Amino acid sequence: MPRNRRRALLVTSALVGGAMLMTACQGTDAAQNAPAAQSSPSATAAVGAGTPSGSPAASAGDSGGADKGNENAGSAGEGEQKRAGQVCGANDISWSTRSETQAGGYILVIAKAKPGITCVLPAAHPTVAFGSDGTEAGPAEQSTGKQITLSGNTAAYAGVNPKTTSANGGKELDSIIVAIGNGDPDPVSLPVGTITVDKPVVTNWHTAPKDAVPSR
């Protein structure tokens, strides 16, 4: 074989081998880059998935606000219930009296809640005082009654006997002072006409006038 032809064949072989080597390297690089290229959509999906996840977070915040609103509503409900169950004060009540002739005569005290008020009269007799010397009526009943809730047209009645003695004497007055217990800060003075006071007594609160007749 001539020398020049042999040399040309060697050069051609070298070129072909180099081309094949470059092709192999490019294939390897493509194989290595393929996962990276494929991973890009996953990353995009992850980022896309991250966006909706913000919505539940916002929803959770909204839910927290709703829960807080419900809690405030619950607190308001508890407050109204507390007001509805509070003990009456004398200034919560519309008062009236009338004279009765039964059992030798006594004063019937009538209590109704003022408009818009609901309150409770405790299971005890009212505090009834006479004059500036602080004379108080004692209990006309041995046992305490039941508490009474006043609201709307519901009325409670207590009977006051200003004089339980048969002896002459006593002090004459034309009004009585009534309070819901000794701790009531706002006792009221009620006109009753002229009465003679000597060892007075008062009944518990009752829902029927016939049950509020004091003994002598």
Side-chain angles (χ1 to χ4, degrees), residues 12-22:
T12 301
S13 298
L15 291 174
V16 172
M20 293 179 63
L21 180 61
M22 290 178 62

Side-chain angles (χ1 to χ4, degrees), residues 130-131 135 161-165 169-173 175-176 195-200:
F130 302 84
T135 300
N161 185 351
K163 188 175 188 299
T164 59
T165 64
K171 58 183 179 181
E172 289 191 353
L173 298 170
S175 65
I176 61 176
I195 56 174
T196 300
V197 179
D198 188 16
K199 295 184 178 180

Side-chain angles (χ1 to χ4, degrees), residues 175-202:
S175 65
I176 61 176
I177 300 169
V178 181
I180 310 300
N182 291 326
D184 193 333
D186 300 300
V188 295
S189 178
L190 304 177
V192 293
T194 301
I195 56 174
T196 300
V197 179
D198 188 16
K199 295 184 178 180
V201 294
V202 60

Side-chain angles (χ1 to χ4, degrees), residues 46-63:
V47 172
T51 302
S53 66
S55 294
S59 299
D62 294 341
S63 177

Side-chain angles (χ1 to χ4, degrees), residues 13-177:
S13 298
L15 291 174
V16 172
M20 293 179 63
L21 180 61
M22 290 178 62
T23 302
C25 291
Q26 290 176 357
T28 302
D29 292 340
Q32 291 177 347
N33 293 332
Q38 292 174 358
S39 64
S40 179
S42 300
T44 304
V47 172
T51 302
S53 66
S55 294
S59 299
D62 294 341
S63 177
D67 291 343
K68 186 175 181 180
N70 292 337
E71 181 179 348
N72 292 338
S75 299
E78 290 174 0
E80 290 180 0
Q81 290 176 0
K82 184 176 181 180
R83 181 183 177 193
Q86 71 180 356
V87 175
C88 298
N91 60 346
D92 296 322
I93 294 174
S94 295
W95 299 94
S96 60
T97 62
R98 70 172 182 248
S99 296
E100 300 286 352
T101 58
Q102 186 179 351
Y106 66 96
I107 301 164
L108 185 66
V109 179
I110 306 165
K112 290 184 177 182
K114 291 179 179 177
I117 292 178
T118 298
C119 60
V120 176
L121 290 174
H125 61 78
T127 298
V128 179
F130 302 84
S132 59
D133 62 356
T135 300
E136 284 191 18
E141 299 172 85
Q142 294 182 350
S143 60
T144 59
K146 296 180 180 180
Q147 69 178 24
I148 300 172
T149 299
L150 295 182
S151 180
N153 291 325
T154 302
Y157 306 88
V160 179
N161 185 351
K163 188 175 188 299
T164 59
T165 64
S166 56
N168 293 329
K171 58 183 179 181
E172 289 191 353
L173 298 170
D174 59 6
S175 65
I176 61 176
I177 300 169

